[in-house]
Amino acid sequence: MPFSLRPPRSLRHRLLLTMAVGVLAVQLIGNLIWAVQLQHQARQELTEAATQIAGSAAEAIRFFRALPPNYRPILLEQLREMGGTRFFVTVNQHPVTLRPIQHEPLLDLVTETVTHTIQRQSPERLQVAFAWPERLPVSDEGATVEDLPENWVAHTLLLQPRPAPVLVIQTEIESGDWLYLASVMPDPYFLDSHNPFPPDRLLLQVLTLVVVLLLSAWVVRWLTQPLAQLAAHADAFGKGVGMGPLPENSSQEFLKTAAVFREMQERIQRFLDDRERLFASISHDLRTPITRLKLRTELLDDETLKADYHEDLDELDMMVKGALQSVKDTDIHENQTTVRLDTLLERMAHVARLAGHEVTLDLAPTTLIARPLAIKRAIGNLLDNALRYGDQVEISLCRQADLFHLQLRDHGPGIPEAQLNQLFSPYTRLPHGKARNQQGMGLGLSIAKNIIHAHGGKLVLRNHPAGGLIAHIELPVPTDHTLTAASQGGA
């Protein structure tokens, strides 16, 4: 399966991710530029310093080569006691074996520069290397820096406050005599000073990133919290829950959006009220002329014609009653409150068992925010259908992630797959349903679906592989905002 990066779905997380990536990118580019410049500057400075040291070393080599051999010990004694040179100097019969510092590009640059500079002036055998002063050998007899008097090396080799790399130059000034020169660089701790990412700089980078992210988190929260409140108000409005006024201390753009949202709420509410009054009024007013027509039909002498009129009028009367029932059941005027759905199902199952039906339950404790009578009517319609056509019903209720899942399974004949979606249309009845219930109008499933949708849920019908029909309901788990609003509304 190919790997793909998906951006976070939350606006808050997207903004934080953008800020974090932006700051990291700026720091990375800045550090890269800084490292390149620092490396170039370090190489240039070290090349100049190495050239100067190499020049001094070349002069010392020429001087000791020109000095008579019997005068060399005297001069070395004077240099050790009185100083006056940047090198610690000694003469050995063989080159001293060192433990050079490995894998340091800056050290390699210095040794190469010193080697090339000295060899141009004195092409004799030459060895150049950096070594740490700890147990640094200074003679072919095995003596180390620690064995020397402090005043011999105090002015040439830096041992305190912490050791620095020592540059050791060895060259053969004549057969059997090797001149040993040791010194530190003009900047003894150049390896640290030219490190592009010292600990203090990394700490500063981390602190900068943390501060920027904290400020970004605060700003993003300040920007997105009103949007979350607006979404909660929109969701509550869709479910008929009052959430109070929106905050008025936010940005100007949010205040404009909130004002438009309030106007939209008012227009939708006026439309719903007008639709309800109009539909109920028309349906109610139609019953009077239908009754008059039935009375006038009784005056007809033709029995066949009278029966035809009665059949048409009965069908029309059933449609009007169904319309009134639909309005009554789906537009129940009650406030949303907390409902223990598992307790409600237990009561409904108890009533069904008293009527002689077989109902099995598998319920998890569930608290729902709903209109109690409406949700009871919706589930009651589904349960009545299941008991009427399936005799035995199995009910299960559980929670998965942010949804409650309620299933009612009967053991009836099921429904043809092609006709499952048609059952939610008003006045739709299948042949086997008409055979079992002559008085039904085909509104139960339509009403149940409308009520479930009004609660932000979903109702799906499907056949069970072993036979029977499953009514599957998904309802959203209430949020803290909804619970608070529902409790205030219930109070």
Side-chain angles (χ1 to χ4, degrees), residues 15-35:
L15 291 175
L16 286 177
L17 179 61
T18 302
M19 294 297 297
V21 172
V23 173
L24 287 175
V26 170
Q27 287 185 340
L28 181 61
I29 295 173
N31 286 332
L32 181 61
I33 296 175
W34 164 260

Side-chain angles (χ1 to χ4, degrees), residues 89-102:
V89 186
T90 186
V91 177
N92 301 303
Q93 295 180 355
H94 305 283
V96 177
T97 302
L98 305 175
R99 289 182 297 176
I101 302 174
Q102 303 292 337

Side-chain angles (χ1 to χ4, degrees), residues 235-306:
D235 182 65
F237 174 70
K239 299 176 182 178
V241 179
M243 292 283 288
L246 287 166
E248 297 184 356
N249 58 347
S250 186
S251 62
Q252 183 178 3
E253 291 78 9
F254 174 78
L255 294 179
K256 291 181 180 179
T257 304
V260 174
F261 176 75
R262 284 192 294 269
E263 294 177 0
M264 180 192 68
Q265 280 184 309
E266 295 172 358
R267 288 196 299 269
I268 293 176
Q269 191 61 51
R270 286 196 300 268
F271 169 77
L272 294 176
D273 294 341
D274 293 343
R275 186 209 66 166
E276 179 184 350
R277 286 193 297 268
L278 177 63
F279 192 71
S281 176
I282 292 175
S283 300
H284 184 271
D285 292 345
L286 282 176
R287 302 186 64 182
T288 300
I290 290 174
T291 304
R292 289 200 302 266
L293 288 173
K294 285 185 176 182
L295 293 175
R296 292 174 182 174
T297 303
E298 295 296 330
L299 301 177
L300 296 175
D301 296 331
D302 190 340
E303 295 298 330
T304 303
L305 184 61
K306 183 189 296 185

Side-chain angles (χ1 to χ4, degrees), residues 180-232:
Y180 180 103
L181 304 175
S183 176
V184 296
M185 297 293 291
D187 179 7
Y189 304 111
F190 65 96
L191 291 179
D192 296 336
S193 60
H194 293 99
N195 179 14
F197 303 109
D200 53 349
R201 181 176 177 83
L202 292 178
L203 178 61
L204 179 61
Q205 298 283 338
V206 172
L207 289 178
T208 302
L209 179 62
V210 171
V211 171
V212 170
L213 288 182
L214 289 177
L215 291 176
S216 300
W218 178 77
V219 173
V220 169
R221 178 179 175 83
W222 178 68
L223 291 174
T224 58
Q225 188 173 16
L227 297 178
Q229 294 175 341
L230 180 61

